[in-house]
Amino acid sequence: QVQLVESGGGLVQPGGSLRLSCATSGFTFSYYAMKWYRQAPGKERELVAFITTGGGSTNYADSVKGRFTISRDNAKKTVYLQMNSLKPEDTAVYYCNAHLNVYSSYWGQGTQVTVSS
């Protein structure tokens, strides 16, 4: 059974940091590119960060470049999102996604991140 379980969300003040984790099981993690998406209330889900299977290449949305860092540990089957210098506009539900192709793409249940003073 495929599982992706996000954790690490919460309430943080502007300028603060959070580290999200997405622990996976039930599929060959090292075969899958991993992505973090977010969805704010009333907005479409947007791609925040992407990392290739081996971790050698990453890409970020312009809105988080220089503040967020995606990484992965293939031995632990886990992907991370380090979020620094958080802003109120980063408030959203954050989802991890494992993507092999259009027929094999899995989602976690999401974790809430709220940036507010």
Side-chain angles (χ1 to χ4, degrees):
Q1 182 182 358
V2 172
Q3 286 191 314
L4 290 82
V5 181
E6 298 100 334
S7 62
L11 173 64
V12 64
Q13 292 187 341
S17 297
L18 284 174
R19 188 194 195 206
L20 305 184
S21 299
C22 174
T24 75
S25 61
F27 64 99
T28 307
F29 180 78
S30 60
Y31 288 4
Y32 286 69
M34 296 300 297
K35 305 177 185 181
W36 284 98
Y37 287 79
R38 68 185 181 187
Q39 187 166 20
K43 295 189 176 180
E44 292 187 355
R45 191 171 294 190
E46 64 169 337
L47 178 62
V48 173
F50 165 91
I51 188 167
T52 52
T53 54
S57 182
T58 58
N59 201 5
Y60 300 91
D62 287 343
S63 58
V64 307
K65 229 173 251 185
R67 300 188 297 121
F68 290 11
T69 303
I70 188 171
S71 61
R72 65 189 293 161
D73 185 332
N74 283 354
K76 294 183 178 179
K77 301 180 181 180
T78 300
V79 63
Y80 306 95
L81 186 68
Q82 177 67 43
M83 306 186 296
N84 298 328
S85 302
L86 283 161
K87 304 175 181 180
E89 51 263 42
D90 295 318
T91 295
V93 179
Y94 283 71
Y95 299 89
C96 67
N97 168 256
H99 185 82
L100 180 64
N101 53 47
V102 294
Y103 306 107
S104 188
S105 186
Y106 309 123
W107 292 89
Q109 83 290 347
T111 186
Q112 175 71 45
V113 171
T114 303
V115 184
S116 175
S117 54

